[in-house]
Each structure stands twice: as C-alpha cells, then as structure tokens.
Amino acid sequence: MLREIDIEPADAGIRLSGPPSLLVPWAEIDEALDGADPESTVAHDRLARHLRARLLFAIDRTALAPRPYAVATDSPLHPGPSWVRATVLGGAMDVGLAVAGLDRDRPEELLPLPSPARAAARIDGRAWWTQAAGYLDAMATLAVARLRRRPDEPLRPMGDCDVVTLLASPAFRKALSSGPALGLRTAAMPMRNRGWLDLRRIDPAFAVAAANATHPQRRGFSRPVLVTADEVTLAPGGAPGQRLTLPSVAAVPVRESLG
C-alpha cells in the first residue's frame, strides 16, 4: 500500500486494485518520478499523486476541473520539470495544472496534476491549460478589486486560486507593485492561504519560522519574496527589515509565458 492506495507490483508495472483495476506500466512510473530518487519521500509523494490521478481519471474524467497551481521552485511539493506549463521571471516559482481529489484525506484540496497521468488519460494538456489560465485571469481580476478596496488586509485566496497562485498573474503582480510600492513590493507568503505586504509590522523572522511550521503541502515561500510586475524573486537572507536589492534576473525559457 502506498499512501492508502492498494498496489501490487507485477512484471509489466504496478497494478492498482481499485476500483477500477488498472495496470500502470513501469515506463509510466519512471516518468511520474521525473528524476526523483525512488527511495525518497519526494518520489513517494509524486507516485502517490500519479496513481491517485490515474484512478480518478478512470472513474470519471469529466468530473475533474483543471485549475492553475503555482508552487515555489524549492518546495518538496514541486512535481518536477515535466509538470511546468509556465514560469515567472525571477526563478522563485513555477506554474502548472492541478485538480482536486488527489489527497484522500482532503478531497477538496487542489494538488499538482502529474503530467503522465493526464497524458495516459488522453487529456489535451493545451486545452486544459487554456481553461486554467482563463480561470486564473478571472480570479486575479476579483483579487485585484478586493486589494484596492481593502489594501491593508492580508492577502487571501480567491476562488480556487490561493495567494501563491494569484502571484502567477501579471495583473495581480502589477497591482501589488504599483502605487506607493513604486514598482517593487516585498511580501511574506509562508503559507498558501495567507500573504502579508506591510512587512514593517512583522517580526523579521516571521516568514521563515511560519514556513518551517507549515505542512509542506500548504507551505508557500520559505522566505519573503520581491514582487515586480514581471518578476517574483526570493529576498536574500529572508530578513524583511534589511535593505533589499532585486537581483538582475536573466530571461528563462518558458513553455507558455504568464508575463
């Protein structure tokens, strides 16, 4: 059993007892691990999400709604390079597809959708990404309106987009970094469901301590981030009170740009 999924190794792959019963080929398993050490916790997490996704697609693929999902590049939850559909300049975060139902204990919670599981179910990744990106645009528009109404409140999710995912929207980043921010905003997002902008009122060690105390599945960024309309970069050293200079970031190759 792997993460409460009944599995049985076979010559041709891993058999899932289901229901429904499925045989997942070894080549697909290797693709799902995406280079992770097979004995590591990261590999076990990736494989569990992959197998759970395969079961969900086999039961009813029409019940799954594609959603955008951004994750810190240093997060243990990161599904690997093949999952990334878009990148944001700065090297702090990647963006891809997610669905609900991959965690049996929290079926309503979004988690990254493994690309091999989507491909095995013959789901058009580009079509799903178009839907997810459109959803992000819609939620970011609502989040920007809320930010303008209540600029002093902590950042909160909007719809199925948590605060880390909202940061993947160019419109949301522009709203954060405009006005008094003069093009650059420092933010603390140690957990996925809350973010703080006025770091002068927060203990310098808060962002790091809060991130360390948060379960990896719900963790945001390990340190404060520097936000401009185009980039999201981890603040050096993670001390919000220090003088921060945004590093020069070279353009990175992207599959589909989110700005």
Side-chain angles (χ1 to χ4, degrees):
M1 179 172 288
L2 175 69
R3 303 287 197 273
E4 299 186 0
I5 302 172
D6 291 327
I7 62 175
E8 179 183 349
D11 291 340
I14 291 179
R15 187 173 299 279
L16 308 181
S17 58
S21 178
L22 292 174
L23 179 66
V24 183
W26 290 116
E28 185 181 318
I29 296 296
D30 185 61
E31 188 178 1
L33 296 182
D34 209 3
D37 179 355
E39 300 299 324
S40 67
T41 300
V42 169
H44 293 172
D45 289 342
R46 288 181 182 179
L47 181 56
R49 287 198 301 270
H50 175 77
L51 298 180
R52 181 68 176 155
R54 290 285 266 118
L55 286 171
L56 290 178
F57 279 125
I59 294 169
D60 184 6
R61 56 187 278 178
T62 64
L64 300 176
R67 289 291 183 257
Y69 193 88
V71 64
T73 53
D74 63 355
S75 169
L77 191 66
H78 195 296
S82 68
W83 170 81
V84 179
R85 302 292 302 189
T87 60
V88 178
L89 289 176
M93 59 190 293
D94 290 321
V95 195
L97 290 168
V99 294
L102 299 185
D103 186 333
R104 185 170 293 179
D105 294 331
R106 299 179 177 84
E108 75 289 343
E109 187 169 343
L110 289 175
L111 284 175
L113 171 63
S115 296
R118 174 192 53 74
R122 301 185 184 278
I123 298 293
D124 185 339
R126 182 171 289 274
W128 265 39
W129 177 244
T130 298
Q131 293 181 52
Y135 184 84
L136 174 60
D137 289 343
M139 293 303 101
T141 297
L142 296 175
V144 167
R146 181 177 62 192
L147 177 66
R148 288 171 177 165
R149 291 195 309 270
R150 295 175 289 208
D152 296 327
E153 291 187 0
L155 301 176
R156 294 178 288 113
M158 180 60 72
D160 287 338
C161 292
D162 56 46
V163 294
V164 177
T165 300
L166 287 172
L167 205 57
S169 163
F172 191 69
R173 295 196 304 272
K174 182 178 180 180
L176 289 183
S177 57
S178 62
L182 300 177
L184 173 64
R185 195 72 172 262
T186 308
M189 298 178 182
M191 61 278 295
R192 302 192 65 89
N193 65 346
R194 285 294 182 274
W196 289 266
L197 298 175
D198 191 355
L199 300 192
R200 292 170 299 177
R201 301 179 184 179
I202 297 176
D203 186 279
F206 167 76
V208 176
N212 290 335
T214 302
H215 189 281
Q217 193 163 301
R218 289 169 288 282
R219 186 179 302 156
F221 294 100
S222 58
R223 306 201 303 269
V225 290
L226 307 176
V227 181
T228 73
D230 300 315
E231 300 180 1
V232 178
T233 307
L234 284 177
Q242 71 186 31
R243 181 179 179 85
L244 300 174
T245 302
L246 187 66
S248 175
V249 181
V252 296
V254 298
R255 289 169 174 80
E256 297 184 35
S257 176
L258 280 177

